[in-house]
Amino acid sequence: QVQLVESGGGLVQPGGSLRLSCAASGSIFSINGMGWYRQAPGKQRELVAAITSDGSTNYANSLKGRFTISRDNAKNTVYLQMNSLNPEDTAVYYCSARVRTRLTVPYNEYWGQGTQVTVSS
């Protein structure tokens, strides 16, 4: 079993910053891609950013320059630094990871429980 636990969400004023963390634990042989998604009320879940095991990154076009994804492979942890936050960034943020639990099985995608980010004055 694999668990992803997010932390770092909360209430922040417009223009502020937050750093989200997501740690993977459990029966992990290797982790391929990791990513952050978000879902605002009444909207579909959307990709925020993704990062491969060798550090290649991909961002939603609208978020480039404000958000930065990074990972620590030794800690099985992915981070999302969010700057210049505005109310439109309010959402539940979820992390995901493609994890292989043994060498002989394919990668499966796992999700965290989500962390609320609220941008409001």
Side-chain angles (χ1 to χ4, degrees):
Q1 190 72 341
V2 175
Q3 298 82 37
L4 301 182
V5 179
E6 300 112 332
S7 61
L11 174 64
V12 63
Q13 292 186 342
S17 299
L18 280 177
R19 188 190 194 213
L20 305 182
S21 301
C22 173
S25 62
S27 301
I28 298 172
F29 178 79
S30 64
I31 301 178
N32 192 347
M34 303 184 81
W36 288 96
Y37 292 74
R38 69 184 184 183
Q39 188 167 18
K43 295 186 177 181
Q44 290 188 333
R45 189 174 298 189
E46 63 176 357
L47 172 70
V48 174
I51 185 167
T52 65
S53 56
D54 63 359
S56 297
T57 58
N58 180 42
Y59 294 91
N61 286 334
S62 61
L63 300 177
K64 287 180 180 178
R66 293 195 299 123
F67 289 14
T68 303
I69 190 171
S70 61
R71 65 189 281 176
D72 184 333
N73 291 331
K75 296 181 179 180
N76 292 332
T77 299
V78 63
Y79 305 96
L80 184 68
Q81 177 67 43
M82 306 185 292
N83 298 326
S84 301
L85 286 162
N86 58 64
E88 289 70 39
D89 296 316
T90 295
V92 178
Y93 285 70
Y94 299 90
C95 74
S96 74
R98 289 180 55 79
V99 178
R100 178 183 280 178
T101 56
R102 296 193 306 275
L103 177 61
T104 55
V105 301
Y107 284 96
N108 283 324
E109 190 163 27
Y110 295 86
W111 291 86
Q113 80 287 351
T115 185
Q116 176 70 45
V117 171
T118 302
V119 185
S120 175
S121 55

